[in-house]
Amino acid sequence: MAFAEYEVVIERDAMSIYTFLLDPRNLASWRTGIRGVKLISGAAGAAGAVYRPLFAGAGGPADVDFTLSTTRPGAEIEFQAIAGRMRVHGGYYLSTEGSSTRVRFALRCRPAVAALLSYPRVRRAMMTQVAELEQLKSVLEPRLAAA
């Protein structure tokens, strides 16, 4: 199993960050390679909602639908892939630190047997994904300051 995590402190309150992260359609504003996310089924932002990311470029992965599995307002959002080669489970974990919020993005993946041959590449890709929290910080701090 591959695992990666990264954390940043964002100068905003936990509930504002939680609300932004709870809508996967916001991924396109801070995740590289995602040009949009569509709600496929369920209530937006609710546990059990199913989403489909739309990847930039012609060679992006297909069938990587994911569902929100856990939502705890202001504290935690977990998701898991329900289609695709890699069975990724991940989450955002928020904790208040004064007027700021520490955000941790963690991913774990149980790759299919064929993908085990490329395990180092999978792990590097996961590390790159969680490190994109730096982009979330640069998006949220100015955006939420104007709100």
Side-chain angles (χ1 to χ4, degrees), residues 23-28 33-42 44 48-56 60-68 79-84:
D23 185 349
R25 294 171 293 186
N26 288 324
L27 287 172
I34 296 177
R35 71 169 205 260
V37 177
K38 292 173 48 176
L39 175 65
I40 301 301
S41 68
V50 177
Y51 294 88
R52 177 171 297 147
L54 307 171
F55 295 94
D63 299 327
V64 291
D65 295 353
F66 65 92
T67 185
L68 297 180
F79 55 88
Q80 61 188 25
I82 58 173

Side-chain angles (χ1 to χ4, degrees), residues 7-36:
E7 61 182 47
V8 296
V9 175
I10 299 176
E11 300 295 325
R12 296 291 164 243
D13 66 280
M15 202 59 197
S16 296
I17 296 169
Y18 173 86
T19 301
F20 184 84
L21 290 172
L22 188 60
D23 185 349
R25 294 171 293 186
N26 288 324
L27 287 172
S29 69
W30 66 278
R31 292 288 309 275
T32 303
I34 296 177
R35 71 169 205 260

Side-chain angles (χ1 to χ4, degrees), residues 18 22 70-78 91-94:
Y18 173 86
L22 188 60
T70 303
T71 57
R72 284 190 320 130
E76 176 181 6
I77 301 167
E78 291 188 333
Y92 307 105
Y93 306 93
L94 292 70

Side-chain angles (χ1 to χ4, degrees), residues 10-14 95-102:
I10 299 176
E11 300 295 325
R12 296 291 164 243
D13 66 280
S95 58
T96 300
E97 294 186 3
S99 62
S100 301
T101 303
R102 180 171 300 277

